[in-house]
Amino acid sequence: MAAVHSVYQALLSLKNIPTLEAAYKMVLGEMACALCSLMESLVPTDRSVAPGSTCSTIQHPAFASLTLPVEKAQFTLIFNLSTLTTIGNTKNSLIGMWALSPTVFTLLSQNLILVHAELAVYYPAIQYAVLYSLYSHCTRHDHFISSSLSSSSPSLFDGAVISTVTTATKKHFGTLLSLLANLLSKEHLYPDARKLLLTWAQEISLLMMKSDTYSPLFSLPSFNRFCKGLLDNALHEDHSICLQTCHSLQVLSTCLSTELLQRCVDVCRVQLVHSAVRVRQAFAKLLRMIPLDVALSNYSHSEIREISLAIRHHMSQPPSSTFHPQDFSDLISFILYGVLHRGG
């Protein structure tokens, strides 16, 4: 398999554009075949889209009548995704990367969007592979932040090529933010995929704050949705996810709208009484970064009000006769030291 992988990588590193395109189309066709095989393997549901039409734009006649077993289809998809990272990995293949249709970015962010729906429930490893491939591709290009503001002016390298590339990638950053916002707001998401998305979000946040020239990006509608997606993870039960989210919000705190800052205050009110010390400290730091007039405002999100009322209602109930001295000891140990109950 290592030898086959090397062959695929060699083909996708070719400088001859027509041959590179032919190899690329075959790889996409193999992926489309695997995707259709997986879609057909799912329990039949009332789907408005037929399995074959979901990836019609990347299908290849060579695989038209082929159906793969589930395990082989999963392997084929992940294998091919790992070979795509070769494209555009060197200066020699940079021009070829943008000559391909669809581009790697379009393929991973749009053509394979169905892996984030029903397939993600049954085959989370495939969703993760697609996300990681897109993350790797975007990382090499600084997440397309610079090109989203570029005026397409000629470059010393090759005026025509760079101008074309800049025009083609101008909307990539907005598309990327929208994709992250959509996935981060999902309640059910593979834990590793969520952590990857939050790592990705933190890298984007740090890059956006790197230069004042990026300030127009904070007014994008997709940036607002991106921040709301982050906030949807701030109350997650996993401590590491809470901390990743909080760090991104800390980085972006000076550029958030009043509405988003008020939502941050609401989240901090809940997390300031978290049992984990690091979570409390992180959200206390975030709260200190929020302007005082916003932090002291009476605004409160309906969800936070419901949480507060639920806590108050529960605490005001008369004590139950089943609450024994040992239970009191367990409870106090958890409140003061975060020690879990002996039974879990």
Side-chain angles (χ1 to χ4, degrees), residues 38 74 78 81 115-132 188-194 196:
L38 289 175
Q74 289 186 77
I78 295 172
L81 285 166
V115 303
H116 305 307
E118 193 174 9
L119 275 175
V121 178
Y122 297 95
Y123 310 110
I126 290 174
Q127 181 190 34
Y128 183 86
V130 171
L131 286 175
Y132 188 81
H188 302 290
L189 189 66
Y190 188 49
D192 288 344
R194 191 181 298 277
L196 173 63

Side-chain angles (χ1 to χ4, degrees), residues 98 102-113 116 130-131 134-135 137-138 143-145 147-149 166-184 197 200 204 208 217 220-227:
W98 302 111
T103 63
V104 175
F105 180 86
T106 303
L107 170 72
L108 297 172
S109 64
Q110 297 175 35
N111 295 104
L112 298 181
I113 196 72
H116 305 307
V130 171
L131 286 175
L134 182 58
Y135 167 71
H137 179 70
C138 292
H143 307 290
F144 302 99
I145 293 176
S147 61
S148 63
L149 292 172
T166 303
T167 303
T169 61
K170 194 170 180 65
K171 295 182 178 179
H172 280 12
F173 183 62
T175 302
L176 183 57
L177 285 181
S178 296
L179 177 64
L180 291 178
N182 179 45
L183 293 175
L184 284 170
L197 290 170
W200 196 347
I204 289 174
M208 288 181 75
L217 298 175
L220 290 173
S222 54
F223 174 73
N224 193 55
R225 293 195 299 273
F226 167 73
C227 292

Side-chain angles (χ1 to χ4, degrees), residues 145-166:
I145 293 176
S146 299
S147 61
S148 63
L149 292 172
S150 179
S151 58
S152 303
S153 56
S155 165
L156 292 174
F157 174 67
D158 187 330
V161 172
I162 294 299
S163 178
T164 303
V165 168
T166 303

Side-chain angles (χ1 to χ4, degrees), residues 298-317:
N298 291 323
Y299 173 85
S300 182
H301 195 272
S302 58
E303 179 190 347
I304 304 299
R305 282 199 299 270
E306 288 171 8
I307 292 173
S308 299
L309 287 171
I311 293 172
R312 190 178 304 171
H313 175 70
H314 178 72
M315 297 303 291
S316 64
Q317 287 179 341

